[in-house]
Amino acid sequence: MSPAIAAKEGGRQRRAGSHHHCLDVRSEAPPALALCEDGLPGGEAEALLLPEPGSRGTRGCRAELGSILLLLVLYVLQGIPLGLAGSVPLILQSKSASYTDQAFFSFVFWPFSLKLLWAPLVDAVYLRGFGRRKSWLVPTQYILGLFMIYMSTQVDVLLGDREGRGPDVVALTVTFFLFEFLAATQDIAVDGWALTMLSRENVGYASTCNSVGQTAGYFLGNVLFLALESASFCNKYLRFQPQPRGIVTLSDFLFFWGAVFLITTTLVALLKKENEELTPTKEETKGITGTYRLLFSIIKMPAVLTFCLLILTAKVGFSAADAVTGLKLVEEGVPKEHLALLAVPMVPLQIILPLIISKYTAGPQPLNTFYKAMPFRLLLGLEFAFLVWWTPKVKDEGGFPVYYYVVVLLSYALHQITLYSMYVAIMAFNAKVSDPLIGGTYMTLLNTVSNLGGNWPSTVALWLVDPLTVKECVGAQQQTCGTTVAAELCTKAGGSCVTTLDGYYVESVICVILGFGWWFLLGPKFKKLQDEGQSSWKCKRTN
């Protein structure tokens, strides 16, 4: 529903419910499969889990508690820039940024969906004496920390808090795109290190650290930040004397976490050594060009190519509801920190749902669950549009009544059920068809395409809101509001631009129609992919 509370199918980020599976993310549900990361060719990821002859015996988790806690901290740090990036659209919306600006900023959430493009490089190039994973982790986190501290001196200007200037959306997009790119690179390094930092008996804790750590980091960078940044929230719940500003600002937050990044990275660089005893020879990469050739050979297979084309278009019907609804609620006066806090009661549901849904997707036809859940999620798009229309009608001088937030929360819960049903089904299908000989690379590729299938419709949906909106100039004759310049002339002439048709409602209806069209025409073909034989999904390997 919003960058703060909606689960993004591509991004990123693990937003509440997000996006972080094999690649990510928010970026659409829990990171339960993060261990297939790094695009290791030839099944290296699987090889890392096999004991070496003569290796040490079973170790309890207590013996590796320090390593587990370190992984948890690294994943928490990874979630901080993800959460901050998810909070910026809500801040921009509260400053009346256009939806074209929001569409441009949405490119920030793409790096986690695209990191397969440079994962082989991270895997292959390193300083042997310093450590394969530390060669990327340490400099990446140092750059992130220094960048955060520098941006803490510039972000107020970029947000337009001085001299009456509006937000510099281009500069903000470039800045947070770099944040996300660095966080995605750090994720590649940490996921790879997790495979060798822990023994075979305890490597399963890595996915738990990923899920818990990144969720906690996102919560700190998004929900907690938005609450502490809000003057109204702090005055109502945390202060005895009202103040015009929140307890923290984005500048304060960036400086603090920049310092934490630098301190943590220094300690890791000096005190933590990579575990050579647990690093088998098979971990050595077969070369960058070999990995890229392997990816190209996978995507050329007819079954894989059909899957990619279908999944890239399957989520068009949800784009208006997922990308625009939360921003519209903020536009209608719902406090952004209240929207962010709605993610908190959803956490237990987001933990339980995959466990329940996996019982229905564990069989030979997981895409049946995807197909059955799709029409319900499409109909929720219309319900979200009704929710936005209803919002200004229930607002009073004291804000919004409790029953309004109950309705929003129930709507979000229903949305999560349909979203997770589709997400778990796709993940189960990807795991089912991936060639086990190259499972890491294969599954990461399929998940990358799935993420992109959620990213590009969201960006397009945001961009189309303004062109589809119809406004007229009231109070000034012979003036229009078709463009920004025309709207300024209308204001100078003593008039005001009034919305006669909100593009969000037009887009919501169009998206639902397109979604049902996909469901009727292409959905059966999508389901038939699970009837393909295993040979259709196996990559031909050359010696």
Side-chain angles (χ1 to χ4, degrees):
M1 292 172 62
S2 80
I5 66 172
K8 296 245 183 211
E9 297 194 53
R12 32 107 172 164
Q13 45 259 336
R14 172 175 167 87
R15 315 124 187 137
S18 143
H19 303 306
H20 175 81
H21 25 286
C22 189
L23 288 174
D24 181 325
V25 350
R26 158 348 60 133
S27 190
E28 166 181 304
L33 299 176
L35 290 181
C36 66
E37 187 54 67
D38 273 24
L40 294 173
E44 265 84 347
E46 291 86 343
L48 292 176
L49 303 183
L50 298 176
E52 285 293 289
S55 63
R56 58 188 165 193
T58 303
R59 304 180 66 191
C61 64
R62 291 186 179 181
E64 296 184 308
L65 184 60
S67 296
I68 292 173
L69 291 177
L70 174 59
L71 281 177
L72 185 64
V73 170
L74 293 176
Y75 281 120
V76 169
L77 293 180
Q78 183 186 122
I80 298 298
L82 300 179
L84 286 173
S87 68
V88 171
L90 297 179
I91 296 175
L92 292 176
Q93 195 68 10
S94 66
K95 296 178 180 294
S96 302
S98 69
Y99 285 94
T100 303
D101 290 337
Q102 294 282 11
F104 188 72
F105 186 83
S106 69
F107 283 107
V108 164
F109 303 111
W110 285 54
F112 264 85
S113 297
L114 297 173
K115 65 184 180 181
L116 182 63
L117 297 178
W118 67 92
L121 181 66
V122 175
D123 191 59
V125 179
Y126 58 95
L127 300 174
R128 188 178 298 271
F130 189 53
R132 182 176 189 178
R133 305 306 176 183
K134 286 171 64 177
S135 295
W136 287 91
L137 177 70
V138 171
T140 298
Q141 290 198 167
Y142 268 133
I143 295 172
L144 260 172
L146 293 172
F147 196 22
M148 282 184 169
I149 291 175
Y150 170 73
M151 287 309 302
S152 69
T153 65
Q154 305 294 319
V155 71
D156 287 340
V157 177
L158 298 182
L159 287 173
D161 286 345
R162 298 177 183 175
E163 300 177 1
R165 290 181 298 184
D168 188 342
V169 177
V170 174
L172 284 170
T173 302
V174 172
T175 297
F176 280 92
F177 186 91
L178 290 174
F179 277 149
E180 299 300 285
F181 174 80
L182 291 168
T185 304
Q186 187 252 27
D187 182 52
I188 297 168
V190 175
D191 284 348
W193 198 2
L195 296 173
T196 55
M197 186 184 295
L198 302 178
S199 63
R200 176 178 177 269
E201 292 77 14
N202 296 322
V203 75
Y205 287 103
S207 60
T208 303
C209 292
N210 187 314
S211 178
V212 175
Q214 200 177 71
T215 300
Y218 189 88
F219 179 87
L220 292 171
N222 187 285
V223 179
L224 183 65
F225 164 69
L226 288 172
L228 296 180
E229 186 262 351
S230 168
S232 61
F233 181 88
C234 293
N235 291 338
K236 186 175 182 179
Y237 299 107
L238 303 176
R239 286 177 175 149
F240 295 106
Q241 296 294 330
Q243 300 290 333
R245 300 176 66 181
I247 293 176
V248 300
T249 63
L250 183 55
S251 176
D252 300 330
F253 206 78
L254 284 170
F255 183 85
F256 172 79
W257 284 107
V260 171
F261 265 90
L262 295 180
I263 294 171
T264 304
T265 306
T266 301
L267 293 175
V268 171
L270 296 177
L271 303 179
K272 183 65 178 178
K273 295 186 180 297
E274 294 197 31
N275 199 338
E276 297 180 1
E277 184 179 354
L278 288 176
T279 307
T281 56
K282 277 193 175 183
E283 190 194 5
E284 294 300 324
T285 182
K286 295 180 179 179
I288 301 173
T289 56
T291 301
Y292 286 119
R293 280 199 298 267
L294 179 60
L295 291 172
F296 186 65
S297 65
I298 293 172
I299 207 167
K300 283 195 306 181
M301 293 188 292
V304 175
L305 188 59
T306 301
F307 170 82
C308 291
L309 293 175
L310 290 175
I311 199 65
L312 282 172
T313 56
K315 301 170 187 175
V316 170
F318 319 129
S319 55
D322 290 356
V324 188
T325 301
L327 300 177
K328 276 293 177 183
L329 293 178
V330 173
E331 182 181 323
E332 297 294 348
V334 180
K336 59 184 183 297
E337 63 275 9
H338 289 180
L339 279 182
L341 288 170
L342 288 178
V344 178
M346 287 295 103
V347 172
L349 182 65
Q350 292 165 347
I351 294 173
I352 295 171
L353 277 175
L355 301 177
I356 297 175
I357 297 168
S358 61
K359 296 179 181 179
Y360 300 94
T361 59
Q365 295 187 318
L367 293 183
N368 288 354
T369 303
F370 180 99
Y371 186 77
K372 292 176 182 178
M374 188 172 182
F376 295 100
R377 188 172 171 186
L378 289 170
L379 291 175
L380 280 173
L382 296 179
E383 194 270 340
F384 282 176
F386 173 79
L387 185 65
V388 172
W389 172 84
W390 182 55
T391 296
K393 301 183 184 306
V394 297
K395 184 179 180 181
D396 54 34
E397 294 181 358
F400 293 90
V402 174
Y403 69 82
Y404 170 78
Y405 288 108
V406 172
V407 172
V408 174
L409 192 62
L410 289 175
S411 300
Y412 179 41
L414 292 173
H415 177 260
Q416 290 291 285
I417 293 172
T418 59
L419 182 150
Y420 272 74
S421 297
M422 298 179 69
Y423 165 76
V424 175
I426 287 294
M427 292 299 291
F429 177 76
N430 290 350
K432 173 178 175 286
V433 302
S434 293
D435 188 340
L437 294 177
I438 47 174
T441 303
Y442 201 126
M443 193 166 178
T444 303
L445 173 63
L446 296 181
N447 290 331
T448 296
V449 177
S450 298
N451 286 342
L452 289 175
N455 276 343
W456 78 262
S458 295
T459 297
V460 173
L462 288 166
W463 180 77
L464 285 175
V465 172
D466 286 337
L468 291 174
T469 298
V470 178
K471 295 182 179 181
E472 63 179 25
C473 183
V474 177
Q477 295 182 350
Q478 297 181 343
Q479 298 293 334
T480 62
C481 295
T483 64
T484 303
V485 176
E488 292 177 355
L489 292 175
C490 172
T491 304
K492 290 179 180 179
S496 61
C497 290
V498 177
T499 300
T500 56
L501 179 63
D502 195 323
Y504 167 68
Y505 300 115
V506 177
E507 194 173 273
S508 295
V509 173
I510 292 175
C511 284
V512 171
I513 293 173
L514 291 175
F516 273 108
W518 190 98
W519 187 66
F520 279 114
L521 300 177
L522 299 179
K525 187 173 184 179
F526 191 59
K527 284 201 303 178
K528 284 185 179 179
L529 287 175
Q530 59 197 350
D531 298 328
E532 294 277 353
Q534 280 296 114
S535 59
S536 301
W537 302 96
K538 285 189 177 181
C539 184
K540 295 181 180 179
R541 300 171 61 85
T542 57
N543 296 325

